[in-house]
Amino acid sequence: MPMTPHKATPLEKIIVERIKADGPMDMGTYMGLCLAHPTHGYYMTRDPLGAEGDFITAPEISQIFGELIGAWVADCWMKLGQPDPFILMECGPGRGTLMCDALRATKHVAGFHDAMQLRLLECSPVLKEKQKQALGQYAPTWCDGVEPDMFEYPTIIIGNEFLDALPVRQMNFNGTEWREICIDININDTLRLYEKRADKAVLSLIPRLLIEPQLGDQIEVSLEQQEFIKNTSAILLKQGGSALFLDYGSAYLVPSDTIQAVKTHKIVDVLERPGEVDITSHIQFAEIARIAMENNVTVHGPVSQSDFLKRLGIDVRAEMLRAHATPKQAQDIQSAVQRLSGVNIKENEMGVLFKVIGLSSDPSITLEGFV
Ligand code: SAH
């Protein structure tokens, strides 16, 4: 039977050439190129969100999600002593839906909007355009990374499904040594997985908890996540402030393979159609907490998204919305709440699959949703 010829994506051709020149590519470099290559990266060329896109996120499921986060931010601002001005930064704001709902919900908090300077961390020109439309009235400005000295005022930072888009490298333990999982090419220039001895630089990123690894342990490490948390912590310590991150992941260290590629809501091979499929990893919140603590901020959680949203009052807010809704709308509100805070993993409910972590500069502050 004749084989269907492999049709490489433009980014795949670039990756193949790089591998020919430099040898096998680590998974982090591959993931970084797939998501954020300046011309062919997945996020650079499309809006992947929503029912017609590749995946759906919490703020796109219900306005309640952003409204509750808005209440969380306003509470933080009060606990910081209502600084004026202060910075509110969202990392990876997608279509701007979360922030739009958050700011609508806080418009009656006296002084809050006047004091706020909105910053958006975003790499995608397509999504920046959507954010301009959704949030233009709040005069946001954009940035492309976090640096310890980037702000001059107290700062509140939030990010939903942002950390999981940062590149991770993958290793497994063969009983004797750590091997790094890389990408190499076959004779016909198609991509394949390839293992090689892990180098010193990547070994130094392995959490100390895994000092005595077992045969078959697999671990994912992310220099980008570590740098991001380190710089975020530095901003908070310098200016005073708090941060909140929500993501798919586990509270504890789980030595397993979690890198996943998704296209039109279906799981596909990580090596399939580079630049045209989303690639994410599950966040190891124990690692995020460790890096934050090493950088001297106070860590709250991680807690499940279910506990977090319930403590912030998701059920009360849903009840309020249902009181003014048609029966069909009331049903939709109920199923959205169930999807966001339910704990049935088989039904893809997000309540336990997603975790929430809070960071703060002031150890005496309690952050809402964590206790
Ligand atoms: N928070 C939104 C979108 C999540 S998708 C929501 O919950 O709906 C991930 C977001 O992070 C997108 O906006 C994407 O463009 C952005 N992003 C991914 N990698 C990034 C990077 N390295 N730097 C800046 N933004 C990035």
Side-chain angles (χ1 to χ4, degrees), residues 57-242:
T57 55
E60 302 296 333
I61 291 172
S62 167
Q63 66 182 72
I64 301 179
F65 188 78
E67 290 169 350
L68 294 177
I69 302 235
W72 185 91
V73 171
D75 177 74
C76 268
W77 177 69
M78 306 258 200
K79 285 173 178 160
L80 287 169
Q82 308 187 6
D84 180 3
F86 79 101
I87 308 276
L88 174 57
M89 172 156 92
E90 182 173 1
C91 307
R95 293 175 170 172
T97 309
L98 190 165
M99 189 54 83
C100 194
D101 293 333
L103 294 181
R104 191 188 55 252
T106 50
K107 69 170 181 255
H108 297 303
V109 179
F112 179 81
H113 279 211
D114 287 341
M116 173 186 78
Q117 295 188 2
L118 185 60
R119 300 277 184 278
L120 304 172
L121 167 61
E122 177 56 68
C123 66
S124 161
V126 181
L127 291 173
K128 266 186 204 166
E129 212 36 61
K130 300 227 160 166
Q131 292 156 20
K132 248 179 228 166
Q133 284 162 25
L135 299 166
Q137 58 172 308
Y138 303 107
T141 53
W142 281 264
C143 49
D144 19 73
V146 286
E147 297 294 334
D149 296 321
M150 70 195 289
F151 297 140
E152 289 176 359
Y153 307 116
T155 301
I156 300 174
I157 301 175
I158 59 172
N160 184 58
E161 294 211 46
F162 169 73
L163 294 173
D164 71 354
L166 299 179
V168 297
R169 290 171 75 165
Q170 231 180 15
M171 281 170 286
N172 63 36
F173 193 72
N174 69 2
T176 318
E177 62 175 8
W178 284 103
R179 312 278 297 170
E180 178 159 19
I181 299 167
C182 296
I183 322 281
D184 201 359
I185 44 179
N186 292 310
I187 200 138
N188 64 349
D189 282 359
T190 52
L191 301 178
R192 69 180 168 104
L193 294 178
Y194 168 87
E195 265 185 29
K196 64 169 195 184
R197 173 182 278 180
D199 63 32
K200 266 207 188 120
V202 70
L203 284 175
S204 71
L205 300 174
I206 296 184
R208 263 156 273 150
L209 287 171
L210 269 182
I211 222 118
E212 285 181 29
Q214 308 288 315
L215 172 70
D217 273 355
Q218 193 148 25
I219 182 83
E220 288 161 353
V221 292
S222 172
L223 183 60
E224 285 79 358
Q225 281 176 18
Q226 294 194 5
E227 286 291 307
F228 175 82
I229 293 298
K230 200 169 136 194
N231 288 340
T232 297
S233 304
I235 294 172
L236 299 184
L237 279 187
K238 209 160 181 174
Q239 305 299 344
S242 304

Side-chain angles (χ1 to χ4, degrees), residues 283-304:
I283 297 306
Q284 317 244 357
F285 280 90
E287 269 298 275
I288 302 295
R290 176 180 73 88
I291 305 290
M293 283 189 278
E294 277 179 12
N295 286 281
N296 305 314
V297 291
T298 305
V299 173
H300 303 257
V303 296
S304 69

